[in-house]
Amino acid sequence: MRIGLSTALVLTWVVNAVRAGNIQLPGLTLPSSAAGNAALVKSTFLTAYNDYKTYAWGHDDLEPISKSWTNGRNGWGATIFDAMPTLYIMGFTDLFNEAVQFASNVDFSYSHTVGDHVSFFETTIRYLGSMLSAYELNGYKDAALLANAQRLGDKLMYGWVPANGPIPYGSVNFATNSADVSSGSNNIASAGSNILEFYTLSRLTGNSTYQTFAERGMSAIASNPSPPFPGLSPQQVFASGKGDGNVISWDGGNDSYYEYLIKYFKMTANANPLWGTTWATAVDSTIKQLLKRTSVATGQRTYLTSASGSSNSYSMGDLACFSGGNWIMGGKLLNNATIVNYGLNLTDSCMNTYNTPTGIGGGGFAFVTADGKGTPPGTAVQQAEFNQFGFYNTDNGWYMRPEVIESAVYAWRASGDLKYQTWAANVLQSIIKYAKAPVGYSSLNDVTRTDLSTDNLGDNVESFLYAEVFKYLYLMFDDPNHISFDTWIFNTECHPLAMGQNIPARLGAVLQSPPFPVPGNETQTTATGNGVKPTPTQVVATGTAVKDPASATARGEMVSVPGFVTGTAVEDPAATSS
């Protein structure tokens, strides 16, 4: 079944969506198994977080095999930020307060790694998003946290060069307060995944500039006069707003732009029909041009292809699996059962890719459609996978990505079907069994290997494991009224933000930032306050393994980045829980 939408029908959906039903199924009741699974998620998360504290506190990421640390996100302590809202939601009050104190005192005036180049996208969704989320979750009372969020927001504003156009550049040099304009075009996920955070920052500080610039960028992408298909932007876009190329997809580089369209529509209660209309039009074009199904013999699975001009790529990455949950949410908001059903089908098909020997899905997969389009499996193993499950793996790595779990949570909250609870419980057990590292948890090099060997584990833990994987699993088993999908909107790093109308008027003392930062006007500061910027570490700094965690401290054996706020390593992990 394919749907064709007239402009009038799309507009009718969007206008009526203000009165739409909730995302969550009314009266949703958890099964008896949920409490035990929720407790298991919490204990697993706590083990992972305390291991981070012991071996990597103050740094970005844990190296779980080396029992050390690495700084790949500018050395500001990415894991602490990404874990912060999760700590609050799970009820670890003492650890949450410790994280808030840390985050409130991080010096964002420069990068703590060589070059000062800062990813506009990653810094917005991880650092800024987590601070705003923690501030809202904890009752709008941590003034120092909001003040530091605004300091970071002011630095990120240099990503825009108004003279060049409305689209932010992908990288900002925090030392010179300037965008890296040599990067050329930006992808739409990077350029368009900031509107939730900057709108929230404007609402909380009373400075509308953040929202204004974010909306201009989002509007420029959505208003492309000649997109490859209606509502679908090319993956790359210049600062001027002009599209670059003809690649279209819901996969990486595209994904969170579409995610933010419908979420901003919800956050602002449809204050501007552009966001909802563009999203609904994009979904319609996707159903017509990108959505493909396998044969009855292979389960009639539903997948999204990518396209370059008139050529489709019959493969899908796990990043694109967020689309199932996104369509479920958007379909519910627009009161469109067809979109909801497509979202459920996409979710089920992505969950199906976890049919591997470990019970964990790989990073990419391919398929052949019912009418024979696509590249047939190239090996006997791939052929067996396709014959049994309707897909075959093209990338066997598990990179701790949350998108399949994310969509399953939306499917559970919207439908109440217990199969999602069962599936998530099995995934949790698989992670505990196969991804357990010498300390914490890690990625898998090959999800088809069931031998418990460290050579199948990666030696770097992305901070989003704490922000997304553990939080989405917990939300699957948690009381749906605790962090309701009808009340909170999650940024693409799974940091919940309040609905616009629920954000209180500007509270307390916040920084008085100018309408737009003036390059070169800021004073560089350091933790010592001597006005001299410390010499940073290498681009991706790595640490020295801790020989004796019980006696090591962040100022001793746990080597810290110069100028960085440090703390004491955990001596008794059990004592830090609440």
Side-chain angles (χ1 to χ4, degrees), residues 321-496:
C321 283
F322 90 97
S323 58
N326 187 251
W327 288 26
I328 292 167
M329 180 185 72
K332 294 281 284 188
L333 291 175
L334 299 180
N335 275 328
N336 186 280
T338 300
I339 295 179
V340 172
N341 287 333
Y342 274 123
L344 291 169
N345 288 337
L346 284 168
T347 298
D348 289 354
S349 295
C350 284
M351 288 164 51
N352 180 58
T353 65
Y354 275 53
N355 276 307
T356 66
T358 60
I360 299 175
F365 49 92
F367 48 89
V368 178
T369 64
D371 55 0
K373 294 181 180 178
T375 303
T379 68
V381 171
Q382 290 179 331
Q383 187 65 58
E385 288 175 337
F386 182 69
N387 290 345
Q388 186 172 3
F389 302 117
F391 78 96
Y392 62 91
N393 279 306
T394 56
D395 181 353
N396 284 342
W398 178 64
Y399 308 107
M400 298 173 283
R401 291 173 182 159
E403 283 75 15
V404 183
I405 303 170
E406 172 187 357
S407 286
V409 178
Y410 276 94
W412 155 251
R413 293 273 180 115
S415 72
D417 193 326
L418 292 177
K419 70 180 179 182
Y420 300 109
Q421 289 273 323
T422 301
W423 177 86
N426 290 335
V427 171
L428 174 60
Q429 293 290 345
S430 292
I431 291 173
I432 292 172
K433 180 176 181 179
Y434 293 106
K436 185 69 182 75
V439 295
Y441 291 83
S442 183
S443 57
L444 294 176
N445 297 325
D446 187 348
V447 296
T448 68
R449 285 179 53 182
T450 57
D451 55 306
L452 302 180
S453 172
T454 55
D455 68 3
N456 195 33
L457 300 176
D459 197 19
N460 183 54
V461 181
E462 286 275 10
S463 64
F464 55 69
L465 176 72
Y466 306 86
E468 301 186 77
V469 173
F470 286 126
K471 189 186 292 115
Y472 277 126
L473 282 171
Y474 185 71
L475 291 172
M476 175 69 82
F477 306 121
D478 189 30
D479 178 357
N481 295 316
H482 175 210
I483 302 293
S484 171
F485 287 8
D486 296 318
T487 305
W488 295 93
I489 298 168
F490 295 81
N491 85 337
T492 198
E493 195 78 357
C494 195
H495 297 313

Side-chain angles (χ1 to χ4, degrees), residues 1-4 284 286-292 338 342:
M1 175 181 176
R2 296 176 182 269
I3 57 174
D284 181 55
T286 300
I287 292 170
K288 293 175 180 176
Q289 306 294 339
L290 303 181
L291 189 142
K292 306 295 180 182
T338 300
Y342 274 123

Side-chain angles (χ1 to χ4, degrees), residues 44-79:
T44 305
F45 167 84
L46 187 60
T47 295
Y49 187 69
N50 277 332
D51 283 347
Y52 162 80
K53 288 193 62 177
T54 301
Y55 297 97
W57 176 256
H59 300 287
D60 288 340
D61 299 318
L62 170 69
E63 291 184 328
I65 296 176
S66 302
K67 298 182 180 180
S68 185
W69 53 266
T70 184
N71 280 331
R73 299 294 175 195
N74 303 103
W76 292 317
T79 292

